[in-house]
Amino acid sequence: MSAAKPNFPLIKKPILLHSSRVPSGYNFSAMSVEEKALLFSKWHFWYQADWDYGLTTIYFFCAAIGVLAIYQYGTLWRSSRKSTAKSASLVDRVVAGTRYLSSRQYRVQRLGWYSPSVGVLCMVGAMWTFTMALTFAVRPLYWPNMEMGHSPPLATRSGWISIAIMPFMIAFATKVNPVSIVTAISHEKLQVFHRWSATIMYITSLLHTFPFIINSIQMKEMESQWFKTNWYWTGVAALIPQTWLIFMSWGIIRNPYYEFFKKMHFVASILFMVFLFIHCSFRLSSWDYFIATGILYASSWLYRYGRMFLWSSGFAATVESLPDEMVRVTVKVPSRFKWSPGQHVFVRFIGGGVGIHALTSHPFSISNIPESVEGSRDLEIVFRAYSGVTRRLYDVASGKPSVSTRVILDGPYGGVHLSLRSFDKVFLIAGGSGATMIVSLLSDLVQGFRSGMYCKHVEFILAVRTNDSPAWIKQTLASAVAAAEHHKLVIHVHVTRVDKASDDILAAEAIHGKDASSIASSEEAVEGEVKTGRPALVPIIREAARSTTGRLAMAACGPDSLLYDVRNTVAECNLDLMDGFSTLKEIYLHTEHYSW
């Protein structure tokens, strides 16, 4: 006997934007008075479930984004005001408490796992608590009488919660999005919310799926429902790529195979959205959420690519190989292309022998600041060669003075939330190729030296693998030395892989970028040294906090272990400030990761 074959359209016809809200298909004679009253009550009525659960979820996310925006712009306003108070105010202490949460993190050292900050964990916890409370707080979870409907209340509400999360999940993933515009938080720092909202959506999707399966098995309708309707198989067809998207997105799997992950993530996302769209089949207002999601994604895509091709079809660039497997790309951009210290761009290489890598773009920190010149100017990015396009560029440029290519730039994005020039002291901490972002902040402060900025004390701490590693940064350090004048500039270079202790000549070349004989004539305000081994960041940061009586800023970029030490030490200093045991009025931290 041959198996039955499905015989139904993909989407019920006639196709509408919204299905009817007029109740139908109920056998009221088989229900008690109490069951009929329950069926039409708020939070239980199927024909208004999208209003009860979908809109409530929308309101929660919008309220959370609004609170975050108020906090962000409040800190900007506060930073712009020059306080004359000698000690930390109540507001200073409250801000220190929030910064403790945004800095403190945890790790499982054996697994090499580093958690998001406690503040992010609290926000994710709030998302989780809200969705689970909205899903399970209203009872019953299943109808006491099967005549009350084939859609169990648990499945109905979790389905609408899932659909309502979707626009926010996509917004968190796009580079240009309303959340970034409203909160002034760059897209890469929203990636954690993209991943966690996707995970919560996946859990609510499972809570939507299994009650239907349980119900159908109890009613002995599982097989007939599968072959006579499109609800079941389209739901499963959407759940399969959704499962792939969730489990393949965790860092332990994503990071080692990022190129493959990126392509498959895009393919799986399309399959998921297509089958979910068919699965919803314009029930109530379900397609409105797809329209909102489509508008968010399309507007981001059109803005980005419109801006890219508005600049030109590509910029001329040169690629140079540097010591310690570093690569420098210098791009000639028009003066209208502007960027700020600490920002990054997505670069698509369309020449220079990169082959298939021309099909993708990659994020790189900008390592210089824009020059005040008319016409074209240089935009520099420096990075270490690992695999993929970075290794290919290094191999192509090795053994040659430079290689010409063309690039398309998408950006700039990111940057530092507050101006470092307005702080009393600034500490810049870089590990390895993390210096590519930090050096732009140093260049900006050097420029501030010349223009008479408020900050009078800057320390730059660089940890590199070999003596040759800081070769590309020597010119910037030399410029910093020349511009220091009456400002306090301290530079520390730590070489982590050497056989012998550093000497005076190495120190002179690494810090000043010139001969050892010129150290004696350097400005007294400039201090510098080269040491072997890793920098002792914890005591350095604690001493900085202890010896500062005003406002202290720190910026760090490097490996996870370096950022862990910096973040947690700054968190402890903020806790001291909050408790009234610090001479500081403020300590601000900005960090950047190698990957998102």
Side-chain angles (χ1 to χ4, degrees), residues 330-389:
T330 304
V331 186
K332 287 289 184 182
V333 297
S335 58
R336 69 179 187 275
F337 190 100
K338 303 181 186 303
W339 69 93
S340 301
Q343 288 194 302
H344 62 271
V345 289
F346 284 78
V347 184
R348 185 189 303 271
F349 295 90
I350 52 178
V354 296
I356 195 171
H357 298 296
L359 300 176
T360 59
S361 60
H362 300 264
F364 297 102
S365 296
I366 304 173
S367 59
N368 67 327
I369 57 175
E371 302 169 358
S372 300
V373 295
E374 296 297 326
S376 64
R377 54 189 174 191
D378 291 342
L379 179 149
E380 291 185 0
I381 57 176
V382 181
F383 50 86
R384 188 181 303 282
Y386 287 104
S387 59
V389 69

Side-chain angles (χ1 to χ4, degrees), residues 250-316:
W250 291 103
I252 193 171
I253 300 173
R254 179 188 70 244
N255 293 339
Y257 311 102
Y258 185 76
E259 296 288 343
F260 174 76
F261 157 80
K262 187 176 179 180
K263 295 177 179 64
M264 292 305 300
H265 196 77
F266 184 75
V267 172
S269 297
I270 292 176
L271 292 174
F272 167 64
M273 295 297 289
V274 167
F275 284 116
L276 185 60
F277 180 82
I278 297 171
H279 177 70
C280 290
S281 193
F282 67 85
R283 284 300 182 190
L284 301 179
S285 60
S286 59
W287 278 6
D288 290 352
Y289 294 92
F290 285 91
I291 294 172
T293 302
I295 291 173
L296 288 171
Y297 186 83
S299 60
S300 174
W301 191 91
L302 289 172
Y303 177 83
R304 288 176 50 228
Y305 281 89
R307 181 174 61 172
M308 277 191 287
F309 291 108
L310 179 65
W311 295 125
S312 75
S313 58
F315 299 122

Side-chain angles (χ1 to χ4, degrees), residues 12 27 31 169 207 218 221 238 241 266 276 289 295 325 333 342 351 359 369 391 393 396 452 487 520 523 527 571:
K12 185 179 178 181
N27 182 8
M31 301 181 205
M169 177 193 69
L207 291 173
Q218 289 178 347
E221 294 181 352
F266 184 75
L276 185 60
Y289 294 92
I295 291 173
E325 295 192 319
V333 297
L359 300 176
I369 57 175
R391 174 58 60 181
L393 287 168
V396 168
H487 296 74
E523 298 289 343
E527 297 177 10

Side-chain angles (χ1 to χ4, degrees), residues 100-238:
Y100 168 81
L101 296 177
S102 65
S103 299
R104 186 73 170 90
Q105 68 174 161
Y106 301 95
R107 67 178 174 182
V108 180
Q109 197 163 3
R110 287 188 177 182
L111 299 178
W113 177 80
Y114 293 81
S115 77
S117 70
V118 171
V120 169
L121 292 176
C122 288
M123 286 186 275
V124 171
M127 290 166 53
W128 170 260
T129 302
F130 168 81
T131 52
M132 291 301 103
L134 192 60
T135 301
F136 290 103
V138 180
R139 299 305 173 101
L141 302 180
Y142 291 85
W143 294 125
N145 183 344
M146 291 296 183
E147 296 297 333
M148 297 175 72
H150 287 193
S151 179
L154 174 60
T156 300
R157 64 187 69 148
S158 57
W160 284 113
I161 292 171
S162 297
I163 291 294
I165 290 174
M166 181 174 63
F168 296 95
M169 177 193 69
I170 296 299
F172 292 143
T174 55
K175 297 179 182 67
V176 180
N177 63 79
V179 182
S180 291
I181 295 170
V182 170
T183 63
I185 297 175
S186 185
H187 71 96
E188 75 277 4
K189 296 189 182 299
L190 295 176
Q191 288 295 313
V192 62
F193 299 109
H194 167 64
R195 289 193 287 268
W196 279 105
S197 60
T199 301
I200 293 172
M201 181 183 176
Y202 178 65
I203 293 170
T204 53
S205 296
L206 294 176
L207 291 173
H208 171 74
T209 302
F210 285 104
F212 276 110
I213 295 174
I214 293 170
N215 228 31
S216 295
I217 291 174
Q218 289 178 347
M219 298 175 70
K220 304 186 186 311
E221 294 181 352
M222 185 68 199
E223 186 175 352
S224 63
Q225 289 291 327
W226 180 273
F227 288 106
K228 291 181 180 179
T229 70
N230 69 343
W231 310 115
Y232 280 83
W233 78 265
T234 56
V236 172

